[in-house]
Amino acid sequence: MNNNIPITIAIDGYSSSGKSSMAKALAKKIGYRYIDSGAMYRAVTLYAMRNNMVTLDHVVDCEALIASLPNIKIDFKVCDDGQHTLLNGEDVECEIRQLDVSNNVSQVAVIPAIRHALVAMQQAFGTEKGIVMDGRDIGTTVFPNAELKIFVNASAETRAMRRHKELIEKGQPSTYEDVLTNVVTRDHIDETREESPLRKADDAILLDNSNMTIDEQDAWLINKYHEAIANLK
Ligand code: DC
């Protein structure tokens, strides 16, 4: 088994399915770069909200936002408490996780020109492989040739409860009912949009982690990584 050949690992799935946590843990363990593609859509959404391009009932001024794309730079920096997202150099990690951003992000993510721009940036992050990227369309659109593809799911109630607990732990206001509504609404928009909708790639391995502990899912994933490396030979 050759552990030195860098591969591309695509982890897709439903919102709050735990895919980011498992992707991060795997990247750390095997020394790969981790990219949270959802954070990139969230950062663009925050930019739109700050610049009055989203109405209170979640209608996005697509033309203005597309015209602003050259002014939006997204990057990541590694901090003691994990990776932080930068929007034009500003650390927006905390702000992009808030429910008002969650309530607008799917509407931004349906815009084809926004998707094209972010997919190109995501592909640029992965040119040298040795990357774990999580999102909705990584195995289908961003890295269709990824050597390892995982598709994660859990019931909407399980996912909403996890997300609600996470927000409370971070001191952010949250009710379980609001989070559940957001999760179900985002699932629907993500699954039914025309441009690269959320779906399992044919060659992705399905993981339902509803009844798994974090340790169990991390062990499951590292095992799949070792199998993928062994299959390279
Ligand atoms: O993973 P997340 O919940 O932070 O993602 C936020 C939103 O971004 C999600 O509702 C859909 C969108 N998204 C996407 O359309 N494609 C991706 N590759 C990642 C996220």
Side-chain angles (χ1 to χ4, degrees), residues 162-187:
R162 287 180 188 154
R163 184 88 191 114
H164 169 60
K165 276 192 184 158
E166 219 175 85
L167 289 168
I168 295 293
E169 276 164 21
K170 284 184 185 160
Q172 294 184 15
S174 166
T175 66
Y176 168 73
E177 289 72 23
D178 285 351
V179 177
L180 180 62
T181 304
N182 175 260
V183 160
V184 172
T185 308
R186 277 204 288 151
D187 285 357

Side-chain angles (χ1 to χ4, degrees), residues 19 37-38 41-42 105-106 109 115 135-137 186 190 193:
K19 58 189 185 315
S37 68
Y41 287 93
R42 286 173 179 274
V105 64
S106 286
R115 299 202 70 82
R136 303 293 191 287
D137 60 342
R186 277 204 288 151
D190 293 348
R193 70 171 170 241

Side-chain angles (χ1 to χ4, degrees), residues 128-149:
E128 289 177 13
K129 300 196 170 218
I131 190 167
V132 183
M133 189 175 292
D134 76 344
R136 303 293 191 287
D137 60 342
I138 311 304
T140 53
T141 305
V142 181
F143 298 128
N145 297 322
E147 290 83 355
L148 176 59
K149 298 181 186 178

